[in-house]
Amino acid sequence: MAFDCIEKIIRLFFFNYGGFIARHPIPFLLVPPLLAGALGAGMVFLTNENNLENLYTPENGQAKTDRNTVDTLFAKHGDNDTLVSHLLNIGREGSVTIRHKDGQNILTQAAMDDILDLHEQIMNIRITLDNQEYRFTDLCVKWDGVCNENAILAAYDYNSSKVPSTTLTFPLYTSSADNAVPYFLGGGLGGVTFVSGSQDDVLSAEVIQLSYFLRYEDSVENQRSALWEETFLEVAEAFTSSVITVTREVSNSIETELDDASSGVIKDFTVTFTILITFSVCSCVMLDWVRSKPWLASCGVLSAGLAVLSTFGLMSYIGVPYINVVGSSPFLIIGIGVDDMFIMLAAWRQTDVRWSVERRMRHAFSEAAMSITITSITDALAFGIGAITFFRSVRIFCMYTGVAVIFDYAYQITFFGACMVLTGRREATNRHCMSCLKVRPKSESTSTAYTLFCAGGSSQQPTDREGGDTNDHALMLFFKNYYGPFITRWWVVIPTILLFLGYLGTAIYGCTQVREGLDLRNLARDNSFVAAHLEAENNFFSEYGPPVALVFTEPRDVWNPLIQDLMEEVLVKMEESDYTYDKDHNLTVSWLRDYLDFLDAIHFRNPTQAQFMDILRNTFLEIPAFRRYVLDITFSDDNRTIVASRFFVTSKNLDSEDRKRFMMTDLRRIAEEADLPSIVYHPLFIYYDQYLAILPNTFQNIGIAIGAMFIVSLVMIPHPVCAILVTLSIVSIVTGVIGLMTLWQVNLDSIAMTNLIICIGFSVDFSAHICYAYTSTNTKSRRDSAIHALYSLGMPIVQGSLSTILGLLILYFSDSHIFRTFFKTMFLVISLGALHGLLFIPVGLMLAIPVDTRKMAYEKENPRDCRDVEGRGIVTVSQHSHNNNLYPMNGLTNRHMYQPT
């Protein structure tokens, strides 16, 4: 084929490289650990990043642009001296939710006594910084010199004795003492039931939430507030009551949870390392104590460990921060490294024990190194493509893991190759695999005990050494003699087709049910105090969502009735949305409505521009009830025009990610269609933007990656049918992973996106090689070709799948949703990849590619006899199996082949 020159060049390079490393193993044995140590020293510079906004929201999100716009227009107010509803960022705060221990009504005098006791303890928190003492009143976000208060406590005038005599109205309550001050209780009272026959008189409630907002805009204030938050958590945790239970949270609680979860899973890495070493050793132990390779298996796992150490050190040197999701990458890399080790050992076993170590290394490297080169290229490409995403967490994960794949590849062909040379020399001198003492072969054993625990290797007698190292593993024989013949029978092929159609139908159905976005609750550990708090917030405080600002961004003649009508029209449309409360609920905040009502009340109609502005600034905004509107208007420098203004509508029933996304997109649509330039904004929109970005980013990465895999397949596997089938297989596996992970209650978020990127690289491993094995095999029937492909690749697919799953298994038992999600999606990737490689692809190849095409391809690609090619010092092009069928060994056919000599 046109591209097979690339394959030949790579194989010839590794053929010669294998001979070189066989002659000079010591530098390759010593340099990689020294390099890994030098790079690993960089971990002293390791920095940690856990900022939710930076990591888990799209960098190009519209809300971040809108925030900059609002900040520019209303910069003089800031986030320190303002109302809580006007905050531009989700800043420093402490929050508690309070429930009755028996699940009864929380609005009782006894419960309120304890609630006020807790509130008093919180208000009396003192922190010291630079020998200066601070209380909450020194640190709080204020408006008009007063801290933003909790409406539910203010409604009772901070007096529990008023609870029995006060009938609250919900969500707005107006105090009888001062009917000009309405309290919004929607954010502080949850699980409300009403008096029979009333729509707003409160009978009982299940939950009260108290929030304490802190200043943070400069570094000193932020440091003070951070110290206050730490003490706040201690006070809330230490609070005891026989009546109420309390959950707590501060602004950085989720970040702290992420750190704790990541630290916990890193501690489990030693367990994974031990499991994989045990699995690898067991996989490499035979009844022959010379040909068993337990130490070499351990070196294979160590090689992957060196790759992890080098990666973390290099990333630290160049300033790439560590984030919590990167904690799962060592488990993945160890699995990949062990898989590569199995491939190298399989290639070694294909060689003849009568050959010299150098000759065995030449042939082993020309076969195995080609295969792991393709694996590393596809995996590194997948991670490289993933690094172009707008989600910083995904990009950092892909950078770490992509670099680790490259290091793993480098150490496999250097350090592990040197270990193979030393193991080969041990075998050549017939030494025991554990003690390295010379032993006799089984044919010369003098006792049963010696045979069981010591004997092995080849006799020096020529008759005993004929046939070489031709021991087929029992699993290989299972695929050859039982599984392969079974699944290729026509009466099994039809159910296989039906099974594939059923699988594909189920996967497509799951894809239609995809849930997008990362729920903040899932960032907390299962049994943490944060999870309980977030659960209470979600269950009881979703009916009244965040107040969304409608901002008119350009100077307009607001005194002009025509402009007023245009502004009112946009506001009314927002109130009529399915995701906001309408005008009748009286939850909209509009300075213009109240100002026009004020002008009507003083019988002042049709004011001129000067009159409109003068009364607004000097009269209306000086009235205490309307003073807060100064936050919503930005005047020009000469105070003659209004540069910008904003209004607020209250969102409703945001009890799902879909409703949050639809609310934001619907209000943005209304603003974009308005006749006056306007935007809508709330700080939570920065997080809601992920719902819009995750799907396009995922499809973009998947599309680019699949295209890249198609090109790699076309170049490295010189058969166009193979490239098409590999691409279709990738599409099928990705569809299955997305669909089944949805049915497994896994959202499509930035965590799942990283796994889908991994999915593409792994899909190539499972599909490309078996496709090429089938098409390049010179057999007499489609069935024989399919059986041989399974015989060659079945066992390594099983080994690779098990090693990767074992490497990740510990994550399933993590108390962090992130790491469990990583395991779930990777389990689906590996399981579906193995299912395709061991069942769907062999059957599909047998049905799709006729024998004549395969013979023509084979004859065109392999016109020379094997002895001619081997005699020219390249590699064996074809060899005979035990049953004398001619099986070619060029290209990827032998990535996992235990080819007998």
Side-chain angles (χ1 to χ4, degrees):
M1 300 295 270
F3 295 108
D4 69 346
C5 61
I6 297 175
E7 177 195 6
K8 289 179 180 178
I9 292 172
I10 295 175
R11 288 166 62 83
L12 179 58
F13 168 79
F14 281 112
F15 181 84
N16 294 322
Y17 173 75
F20 180 79
I21 196 173
R23 296 191 300 273
H24 310 285
I26 300 303
F28 295 96
L29 185 69
L30 297 180
V31 171
L34 293 176
L35 175 63
L39 291 174
M43 291 184 66
V44 299
F45 303 109
L46 185 69
T47 57
N48 186 50
E49 182 175 345
N50 54 19
N51 184 279
L52 295 182
E53 179 182 320
N54 290 341
L55 294 177
Y56 297 103
T57 63
E59 293 175 327
N60 64 336
Q62 181 179 335
K64 292 182 178 179
T65 302
D66 293 340
R67 176 176 60 186
N68 293 335
T69 301
V70 176
D71 188 32
T72 301
L73 294 174
F74 300 94
K76 69 176 182 179
H77 303 303
D79 271 4
N80 282 346
D81 298 293
T82 187
L83 294 170
V84 169
S85 59
H86 291 56
L87 292 173
L88 294 181
N89 300 278
I90 298 178
R92 293 283 184 182
E93 70 160 316
S95 177
V96 292
T97 59
I98 305 163
R99 303 182 69 178
H100 200 287
K101 280 191 172 180
D102 298 329
Q104 300 174 9
N105 179 22
I106 193 67
L107 298 178
T108 64
Q109 185 170 348
M112 191 56 65
D113 279 334
D114 286 354
I115 292 172
L116 289 173
D117 181 26
L118 173 62
H119 171 71
E120 185 176 357
Q121 291 185 33
I122 292 172
M123 295 297 290
N124 288 330
I125 289 176
R126 290 177 171 82
I127 58 104
T128 302
L129 182 65
D130 296 332
N131 297 320
Q132 181 70 38
E133 187 176 82
Y134 301 93
R135 299 178 58 182
F136 176 73
T137 52
D138 302 316
L139 306 173
C140 66
V141 175
K142 299 180 179 180
W143 170 241
D144 260 0
V146 179
C147 295
N148 283 265
E149 60 184 352
N150 288 284
I152 183 64
L153 300 184
Y156 288 123
D157 197 24
Y158 298 91
N159 188 344
S160 61
S161 64
K162 293 187 177 182
V163 172
S165 59
T166 302
T167 301
L168 298 178
T169 55
F170 187 83
L172 288 178
Y173 171 72
T174 301
S175 170
S176 58
D178 184 359
N179 57 16
V181 181
Y183 294 108
F184 176 68
L185 305 181
L189 200 60
V192 175
T193 58
F194 297 102
V195 174
S196 178
S198 173
Q199 295 183 344
D200 57 2
D201 289 343
V202 175
L203 176 64
S204 65
E206 294 184 58
V207 185
I208 285 177
Q209 179 168 247
L210 305 180
S211 298
Y212 302 86
F213 294 89
L214 304 163
R215 305 161 75 93
Y216 66 92
E217 286 199 317
D218 64 57
S219 59
V220 176
E221 287 179 337
N222 189 56
Q223 187 177 5
R224 294 171 190 159
S225 296
L227 289 174
W228 189 92
E229 285 182 339
E230 293 177 8
T231 309
F232 171 86
L233 288 177
E234 296 171 0
V235 169
E237 182 180 13
F239 180 80
T240 58
S241 168
S242 60
V243 181
I244 60 175
T245 59
V246 178
T247 68
R248 62 199 182 277
E249 181 199 26
V250 294
S251 63
N252 66 345
S253 288
I254 294 181
E255 286 91 339
T256 303
E257 285 291 298
L258 291 175
D259 286 344
D260 292 343
S262 182
S263 300
V265 81
I266 288 177
K267 294 176 183 176
D268 294 333
F269 183 68
T270 55
V271 178
T272 295
F273 209 77
T274 303
I275 291 174
L276 281 180
I277 287 180
T278 304
F279 174 77
S280 302
V281 168
C282 292
S283 298
C284 295
V285 170
M286 305 166 61
L287 295 178
D288 188 310
W289 287 103
V290 171
R291 296 176 187 173
S292 294
K293 302 171 178 64
W295 292 118
L296 186 59
S298 301
C299 289
V301 181
L302 177 61
S303 177
L306 293 177
V308 173
L309 177 63
S310 300
T311 299
F312 277 64
L314 178 61
M315 293 293 102
S316 301
Y317 274 128
I318 63 178
V320 179
Y322 171 85
I323 63 174
N324 65 298
V325 293
V326 170
S328 59
S329 66
F331 301 89
L332 179 64
I333 296 304
I334 293 294
I336 293 175
V338 171
D339 185 30
D340 289 342
M341 176 195 71
F342 286 136
I343 296 166
M344 300 284 279
L345 291 180
W348 175 265
R349 288 196 177 101
Q350 294 172 29
T351 60
D352 194 329
V353 295
R354 295 171 295 181
W355 293 350
S356 66
V357 173
E358 180 178 341
R359 189 179 182 189
R360 295 184 76 178
M361 284 294 294
R362 287 181 182 272
H363 284 263
F365 262 66
S366 67
E367 295 297 332
M370 176 69 185
S371 297
I372 66 173
T373 296
I374 294 174
T375 302
S376 300
I377 288 175
T378 54
D379 288 342
L381 264 178
F383 289 120
I385 292 167
I388 65 176
T389 181
F390 292 113
F391 287 88
R392 181 169 168 80
S393 60
V394 178
R395 184 165 63 251
I396 291 176
F397 176 86
C398 288
M399 291 173 64
Y400 267 88
T401 313
V403 171
V405 167
I406 295 172
F407 272 119
D408 175 67
Y409 171 72
Y411 290 154
Q412 287 291 337
I413 63 175
T414 54
F415 175 76
F416 186 71
C419 293
M420 287 178 63
V421 173
L422 298 183
T423 301
R425 292 179 179 179
R426 177 188 60 76
E427 288 186 23
T429 55
N430 226 69
R431 295 179 181 274
H432 197 280
C433 67
M434 299 298 294
S435 64
C436 291
L437 299 175
K438 285 190 175 182
V439 296
R440 293 188 294 271
K442 291 187 177 182
S443 59
E444 301 176 12
S445 175
T446 57
S447 68
T448 303
Y450 191 89
T451 301
L452 290 176
F453 299 107
C454 297
S458 300
S459 170
Q460 298 302 313
Q461 301 299 322
T463 56
D464 292 338
R465 290 173 57 87
E466 291 178 359
D469 191 3
T470 58
N471 294 317
D472 280 345
H473 194 281
L475 190 56
M476 294 175 64
L477 296 176
F478 167 76
F479 280 108
K480 177 181 177 182
N481 298 328
Y482 300 100
Y483 181 78
F486 174 75
I487 70 163
T488 53
R489 296 183 184 277
W490 288 109
W491 55 271
V492 178
V493 168
I494 294 176
T496 299
I497 296 173
L498 295 176
L499 176 63
F500 176 75
L501 293 176
Y503 149 77
L504 200 58
T506 303
I508 292 173
Y509 169 76
C511 289
T512 64
Q513 307 299 311
V514 165
R515 296 176 298 275
E516 302 170 46
L518 181 64
D519 190 336
L520 292 181
R521 289 175 297 163
N522 292 332
L523 295 177
R525 292 175 299 165
D526 295 340
N527 298 320
S528 71
F529 65 88
V530 182
H533 184 87
L534 294 176
E535 191 69 27
E537 280 190 342
N538 184 72
N539 291 339
F540 295 103
F541 298 100
S542 60
E543 181 179 359
Y544 293 91
V548 179
L550 168 63
V551 182
F552 291 96
T553 58
E554 294 184 3
R556 294 291 173 178
D557 295 327
V558 182
W559 63 273
N560 189 326
L562 293 178
I563 300 299
Q564 295 171 10
D565 290 343
L566 291 175
M567 298 173 75
E568 179 68 14
E569 179 183 347
V570 181
L571 188 59
V572 169
K573 286 183 178 179
M574 290 184 63
E575 291 175 322
E576 292 175 348
S577 170
D578 292 336
Y579 307 99
T580 58
Y581 286 98
D582 58 28
K583 187 176 182 179
D584 294 338
H585 283 79
N586 201 28
L587 296 178
T588 300
V589 177
S590 171
W591 69 266
L592 183 58
R593 287 177 180 173
D594 285 350
Y595 182 48
L596 294 179
D597 289 342
F598 174 78
L599 292 178
D600 285 340
I602 63 174
H603 306 292
F604 197 101
R605 293 179 174 83
N606 300 320
T608 64
Q609 179 178 1
Q611 293 170 331
F612 183 94
M613 297 298 296
D614 181 65
I615 297 173
L616 174 64
R617 294 186 65 255
N618 299 320
T619 304
F620 178 75
L621 294 179
E622 295 299 322
I623 299 174
F626 302 131
R627 171 103 181 117
R628 59 195 172 103
Y629 287 137
V630 74
L631 297 171
D632 298 331
I633 307 170
T634 299
F635 296 99
S636 61
D637 293 338
D638 58 8
N639 294 321
R640 297 180 61 183
T641 59
I642 293 176
V643 175
S645 64
R646 59 184 170 186
F647 311 94
F648 291 86
V649 295
T650 302
S651 55
K652 67 179 180 181
N653 299 329
L654 302 185
D655 52 3
S656 69
E657 280 69 31
D658 282 343
R659 283 195 62 86
K660 294 173 184 176
R661 171 164 57 99
F662 294 148
M663 179 272 292
M664 181 177 66
T665 55
D666 191 45
L667 298 187
R668 281 179 175 173
R669 176 190 58 80
I670 294 171
E672 289 170 0
E673 294 175 355
D675 293 327
L676 300 177
S678 57
I679 59 173
V680 292
Y681 175 74
H682 186 275
L684 286 175
F685 281 11
I686 292 171
Y687 296 91
Y688 294 173
D689 267 337
Q690 63 168 316
Y691 304 134
L692 304 181
I694 194 73
L695 202 58
N697 268 258
T698 300
F699 285 147
Q700 170 188 295
N701 290 341
I702 289 175
I704 297 174
I706 290 176
M709 297 306 109
F710 174 77
I711 294 173
V712 171
S713 300
L714 194 62
V715 172
M716 306 300 286
I717 313 173
H719 196 295
V721 176
C722 284
I724 294 172
L725 290 175
V726 166
T727 304
L728 293 176
S729 174
I730 294 173
V731 172
S732 174
I733 294 173
V734 171
T735 303
V737 171
I738 295 175
L740 295 182
M741 79 177 191
T742 302
L743 300 179
W744 204 356
Q745 305 304 310
V746 176
N747 283 13
L748 180 59
D749 52 32
S750 56
I751 309 301
M753 184 194 294
T754 62
N755 299 327
L756 292 175
I757 294 168
I758 297 170
C759 171
I760 295 171
F762 273 69
S763 299
V764 176
D765 297 350
F766 288 115
S767 57
H769 310 304
I770 202 163
C771 284
Y772 192 82
Y774 179 91
T775 55
S776 60
T777 299
N778 186 27
T779 58
K780 297 180 180 179
S781 69
R782 305 181 184 198
R783 188 165 182 255
D784 287 345
S785 294
I787 291 172
H788 170 64
L790 288 167
Y791 163 71
S792 303
L793 301 171
M795 179 180 174
I797 286 177
V798 171
Q799 282 183 315
S801 301
L802 286 177
S803 65
T804 304
I805 290 175
L806 283 174
L808 298 169
L809 184 61
I810 196 72
L811 298 181
Y812 181 75
F813 302 99
S814 170
D815 60 357
S816 170
H817 171 85
I818 288 180
F819 293 115
R820 287 199 306 274
T821 295
F822 191 87
F823 172 81
K824 287 180 179 180
T825 49
M826 285 306 304
F827 179 82
L828 289 174
V829 169
I830 300 302
S831 301
L832 293 179
L835 178 65
H836 279 71
L838 297 177
L839 181 61
F840 294 150
I841 293 176
V843 171
L845 288 168
M846 190 175 67
L847 295 176
I849 303 180
V851 67
D852 290 342
T853 301
R854 289 182 287 107
K855 286 184 177 179
M856 185 182 302
Y858 177 79
E859 290 167 1
K860 184 175 180 180
E861 294 179 24
N862 302 280
R864 294 173 293 190
D865 182 77
C866 63
R867 294 183 181 85
D868 176 48
V869 177
E870 188 177 23
R872 297 173 64 159
I874 305 178
V875 285
T876 303
V877 175
S878 61
Q879 294 181 342
H880 288 272
S881 71
H882 291 303
N883 60 5
N884 295 322
N885 286 334
L886 190 63
Y887 292 144
M889 289 188 64
N890 52 332
L892 301 176
T893 309
N894 301 284
R895 170 179 177 178
H896 302 293
M897 182 186 288
Y898 287 70
Q899 180 65 39
T901 57

